[in-house]
Amino acid sequence: MTAHVFTYGSLMFPQVWRHVARRNYRRAPAVVADHARFAVTGQDYPGMIACPGVAVRGLVYFDVDQSDIALLDAFEGHAYRRDTLDAALEDGAIVTVSAYIHIDKSALSDAGWDPAHFQMTRFMALHCRPVSGP
């Protein structure tokens, strides 16, 4: 079984995706309505929560296999839960996606999170350490 996965933060970046998932997947820009993305206080990554009237732009990875979803679940950790939402693709098609919703709203800052200001080098050093061999 596979699932489409909506990403809106660090996992939108191929360098991070390749570190977490074992496979490359077809991807496309998408928008999830009635949600907002905020910076997690003191971190380089965001959290997304339900918020009527606004939308979050991100990427959908298509047909992600269960082994990679398990890796994504572990990467996101206990601060997020995987929910099923609808996302709109650029061509207007609506697809059902899995998305990671931040659980603790009090951990989110009042500031939105802008992918243009993502600090890739810092994030990779803190959260994507190389996996050591046997």
Side-chain angles (χ1 to χ4, degrees), residues 45-108:
Y45 52 84
M48 184 172 79
I49 58 172
C51 189
V54 295
V56 175
R57 293 187 176 281
L59 284 178
V60 172
Y61 289 88
F62 296 96
D63 301 313
V64 178
D65 67 35
Q66 288 300 307
S67 64
D68 277 337
I69 289 174
L71 292 171
L72 294 167
D73 287 349
F75 179 75
E76 294 294 356
H78 298 295
Y80 297 84
R81 73 174 183 274
R82 183 168 29 96
D83 281 353
T84 301
L85 305 170
D86 287 333
L89 302 177
E90 288 182 329
D91 66 3
I94 303 297
V95 294
T96 300
V97 298
S98 290
Y100 291 91
I101 306 298
H102 202 273
I103 294 170
D104 182 7
K105 292 179 185 178
S106 70
L108 302 177

Side-chain angles (χ1 to χ4, degrees), residues 3-134:
H4 306 320
V5 177
F6 178 77
T7 62
Y8 57 87
S10 63
L11 287 167
M12 291 190 303
F13 295 87
Q15 302 93 313
V16 178
W17 181 268
R18 285 191 305 265
H19 177 79
V20 177
R22 292 192 174 123
R23 293 184 49 212
N24 288 321
Y25 298 91
R26 183 173 64 90
R27 63 183 189 259
V31 175
V32 168
D34 295 324
H35 284 76
R37 172 177 53 203
F38 296 96
V40 174
T41 302
Q43 300 296 332
D44 297 318
Y45 52 84
M48 184 172 79
I49 58 172
C51 189
V54 295
V56 175
R57 293 187 176 281
L59 284 178
V60 172
Y61 289 88
F62 296 96
D63 301 313
V64 178
D65 67 35
Q66 288 300 307
S67 64
D68 277 337
I69 289 174
L71 292 171
L72 294 167
D73 287 349
F75 179 75
E76 294 294 356
H78 298 295
Y80 297 84
R81 73 174 183 274
R82 183 168 29 96
D83 281 353
T84 301
L85 305 170
D86 287 333
L89 302 177
E90 288 182 329
D91 66 3
I94 303 297
V95 294
T96 300
V97 298
S98 290
Y100 291 91
I101 306 298
H102 202 273
I103 294 170
D104 182 7
K105 292 179 185 178
S106 70
L108 302 177
S109 75
D110 293 334
W113 186 85
D114 185 351
H117 297 112
F118 181 56
Q119 297 180 14
M120 176 66 69
T121 302
R122 176 182 156 84
F123 182 87
M124 293 295 287
L126 292 173
H127 303 287
C128 298
R129 295 196 173 107
V131 178
S132 58

